Amino acid sequence: MAFETCGSPVCRVTLFFLFSLLAAGEGQYKGFGRFNQVQDTEQRAEFEEQWFTQKLDHFNGADSREWKQRYFVNEAFYRPGGPVFLMIGGEGPANPAWMQYGTWLTYAEKLGALCLMLEHRFYGKSHPTVDLSTDNLRFLSSRQALADLAHFRTIIAESRGLTNRKWVAFGGSYPGSLAAWFRLKYPHLVHASVAASAPVHATVNFPEYLEVVRRSLASENTECPLLVKKASDTLLERLKDPKTYDNITKDFNLCSKLQIQTEMDSAYFLETLAGNFMDVVQYNEDNRGFEGVTGTNITIKVLCGVMGDSSLGEPYARYAAAARLMMDTFSVKCLDASFSTYLRDMTNTSWEGPAAGGGRQWVYQTCTEFGFYQSTDSPNQPFTGFPLEYQVKQCADFYNVSAEQVAEAVAQTNEYYGGYDIRSSRIVFPNGSIDPWHALGITQDITPNLPAVFIKGTAHCANMYPARSEDLPQLALARDHIFLLLQQWLKQ
């Protein structure tokens, strides 16, 4: 879902949709995903972007300011009387490739659905304010995004004569959470939701993410996470001695000589390298090629193969080789491991800024709503050196939000949406066992009308991607099961 729809791209700014920190292109943020970062102009030509007049602040009747929100339409499968499918955008640009590919379109063809995709406020081309100042970002929240969806659904239904049609929300990662919450908070507007890989429980500290990464690496090779841990421990030890910095700079092909002046510097460097493994695990073997993303050929098997190759030297040398492999894959000439550069990028408030692709916005949402900080605070994982304090301090550095305010915001989010304790109906929650985000999702049925679909051996949002012959049989079965649920629910 970078996000995105999972579409998020749930983007890794220390969190959700995970963005490879190496990804050449917009905003090196750690969000749920790289989801919709790359846009294909041919696809865009086929599905013209359209614009909807949206309210800036849905919760202040005295504020009449408006802005233009981007959306896309696919009418190819619509049959009169059919349902309306609404794909929810996430923490990155909405990618028109999703109007052409994806499991939701297979469902739409069978059910005669009209397909719409709405870009999330403050991402992509949907700019509610003149810039990304912290003052303006107060209009960025999941609550405002849900109200956008509600207003869009109401007005589009009126203008297209779709008021009495059954609407179904789709989303993956952070947009998966939005799909569930849209049904929860606006049950009169949306009949059912498919909430893929949706982290519904907000938490400041999310050390379980890296615990799942460890288990996912171990499922390929039990030695793999142990070798990663040895390498990570060796690197941390060497960072204590400035005499090693020249060699570390060469080993990891850094853009400039490594400088560690604060704990933030070392934490940022260590997190950047761990991000290679986090990103690959999160999207392991997902069928994402249609989105135009690179690196889908790098899987857990490939990284564990590098870590197990004794011809490369000690585990530390293999860890460096894995980092260089990722850089080669993303055509990155050198690795910028400087926290000061990251700080400068993340505090740039221009829509043309280096983090305006989603990084500045998504981290703001984590600081003011979700947390989701993937820290190394658990002993049951292979990485070291980026504790919760490092993650939370960024909220103060970037937006002047204190640690206490982050904790209070996260508690409010769970109070508002219910966390794991969702009380609703006709929402299905697909999750993959390899995907670290499943730890914050619904993996067991809550009620017969709030079913979970837990898919062994699959990663983030796997059920949303187009089917292919090499898919695991349980993934194919999961897609079929979700279709049968929709079929059944649309009859209700």
Side-chain angles (χ1 to χ4, degrees):
M1 264 285 183
F3 122 2
E4 316 201 0
T5 51
C6 212
S8 293
V10 102
C11 313
R12 262 177 324 88
V13 121
T14 355
L15 32 175
F16 232 150
F17 286 250
L18 234 125
F19 232 94
S20 165
L21 292 169
L22 297 175
E26 313 183 67
Q28 303 179 330
Y29 69 103
K30 313 155 238 175
F32 279 105
R34 268 200 308 275
F35 258 72
N36 302 337
Q37 281 314 103
V38 183
Q39 300 195 4
D40 183 317
T41 48
E42 284 176 38
Q43 289 160 352
R44 196 182 302 163
E46 188 163 338
F47 296 98
E48 286 299 326
E49 54 193 23
Q50 301 190 40
W51 301 92
F52 178 77
T53 302
Q54 191 58 271
K55 298 176 182 181
L56 176 65
D57 186 354
H58 294 278
F59 308 113
N60 179 2
D63 189 339
S64 56
R65 284 176 292 176
E66 294 177 330
W67 57 284
K68 292 281 195 272
Q69 188 167 19
R70 185 165 67 145
Y71 71 101
F72 297 90
V73 182
N74 181 347
E75 303 181 65
F77 308 120
Y78 184 60
R79 296 193 294 271
V84 182
F85 285 2
L86 176 56
M87 178 67 83
I88 299 173
E91 71 282 21
N95 187 344
W98 282 92
M99 304 311 291
Q100 207 169 353
Y101 302 98
T103 304
W104 77 306
L105 297 181
T106 309
Y107 300 160
E109 189 168 11
K110 290 175 180 170
L111 296 167
L114 173 69
C115 295
L116 306 169
M117 176 166 67
L118 184 67
E119 188 168 65
H120 196 297
R121 60 168 53 205
F122 283 95
Y123 295 98
K125 293 185 181 179
S126 295
H127 298 179
T129 54
V130 293
D131 63 16
L132 295 167
S133 68
T134 303
D135 190 45
N136 281 332
L137 287 176
R138 76 182 191 275
F139 297 110
L140 170 59
S141 69
S142 59
R143 297 178 202 199
Q144 293 282 6
L146 291 175
D148 285 343
L149 289 162
H151 189 52
F152 176 79
R153 183 259 186 248
T154 303
I155 301 302
I156 292 289
E158 285 170 5
S159 65
R160 286 179 168 253
L162 300 167
T163 304
N164 297 322
R165 300 276 68 81
K166 291 189 169 96
W167 286 62
V168 180
F170 289 82
S173 201
Y174 164 53
S177 307
L178 292 177
W181 297 335
F182 191 27
R183 170 74 186 138
L184 174 71
K185 295 294 184 182
Y186 297 91
H188 56 295
L189 296 179
V190 62
H191 185 74
S193 288
V194 180
S197 298
V200 296
H201 178 75
T203 179
V204 179
N205 200 2
F206 184 26
E208 296 85 356
Y209 186 99
L210 291 175
E211 293 180 349
V212 181
V213 169
R214 180 190 66 78
R215 290 199 295 273
S216 297
L217 294 172
S219 70
E220 175 61 38
N221 179 332
T222 50
E223 282 295 295
C224 187
L226 303 175
L227 292 163
V228 171
K229 178 165 173 46
K230 276 185 190 162
S232 189
D233 290 348
T234 302
L235 178 56
L236 186 69
E237 207 46 49
R238 290 185 187 182
L239 289 177
K240 293 174 185 169
D241 179 6
K243 291 194 200 72
T244 66
Y245 290 5
D246 281 335
N247 282 337
I248 291 172
T249 301
K250 269 198 260 12
D251 294 339
F252 291 95
N253 197 16
L254 305 186
C255 298
S256 54
K257 185 181 169 179
L258 182 66
Q259 293 191 335
I260 304 291
Q261 286 158 342
T262 68
E263 286 185 0
M264 297 298 277
D265 291 331
S266 65
Y268 182 71
F269 177 48
L270 292 164
E271 186 197 32
T272 300
L273 297 175
N276 293 327
F277 285 79
M278 295 158 77
D279 198 26
V280 167
V281 167
Q282 181 167 308
Y283 289 107
N284 189 58
E285 297 190 9
D286 274 353
N287 185 19
R288 303 171 61 217
F290 76 93
E291 291 184 308
V293 296
T294 337
T296 54
N297 58 317
I298 307 293
T299 61
I300 293 172
K301 186 186 277 294
V302 171
L303 286 188
C304 286
V306 173
M307 290 308 299
D309 185 352
S310 54
S311 73
L312 294 169
E314 59 176 332
Y316 165 86
R318 302 174 209 173
Y319 196 56
R324 292 193 302 272
L325 170 66
M326 294 295 282
M327 292 170 69
D328 291 345
T329 302
F330 289 103
S331 306
V332 172
K333 292 189 178 67
C334 61
L335 186 63
D336 190 343
S338 157
F339 180 74
S340 58
T341 304
Y342 180 56
L343 177 63
R344 185 192 67 210
D345 289 350
M346 288 295 289
T347 49
N348 184 325
T349 61
S350 161
W351 278 111
E352 274 68 56
R360 178 165 167 78
Q361 301 93 302
W362 177 246
V363 180
Y364 176 81
Q365 287 195 259
T366 66
C367 294
T368 56
E369 292 193 87
F370 303 123
F372 294 147
Y373 300 119
Q374 300 148 354
S375 75
T376 51
D377 292 359
S378 165
N380 305 316
Q381 53 80 35
F383 301 101
T384 189
F386 42 104
L388 179 64
E389 293 73 27
Y390 153 75
Q391 321 269 13
V392 171
K393 188 175 183 305
Q394 294 178 39
C395 295
D397 290 346
F398 302 164
Y399 319 103
N400 202 25
V401 174
S402 70
E404 294 73 27
Q405 288 171 315
V406 175
E408 178 59 31
V410 165
Q412 283 177 356
T413 296
N414 288 328
E415 185 180 286
Y416 186 69
Y417 295 120
Y420 294 117
D421 190 25
I422 285 188
R423 303 290 174 91
S424 184
S425 63
R426 294 196 294 267
I427 307 170
V428 58
F429 296 95
N431 273 286
S433 68
I434 298 287
D435 177 19
W437 290 103
H438 84 248
L440 297 180
I442 305 296
T443 55
Q444 293 183 315
D445 294 359
I446 300 173
T447 66
N449 252 335
L450 289 174
V453 179
F454 193 59
I455 316 164
K456 276 275 174 64
T458 65
H460 201 51
C461 305
N463 63 289
M464 295 183 68
Y465 293 107
R468 57 181 171 182
S469 56
E470 58 266 44
D471 284 339
L472 292 170
Q474 57 268 33
L475 175 55
L477 285 169
R479 288 194 183 106
D480 292 344
H481 180 58
I482 293 162
F483 174 71
L484 291 172
L485 285 170
L486 287 178
Q487 211 174 23
Q488 181 188 323
W489 290 343
L490 287 168
K491 286 175 184 159
Q492 291 176 5

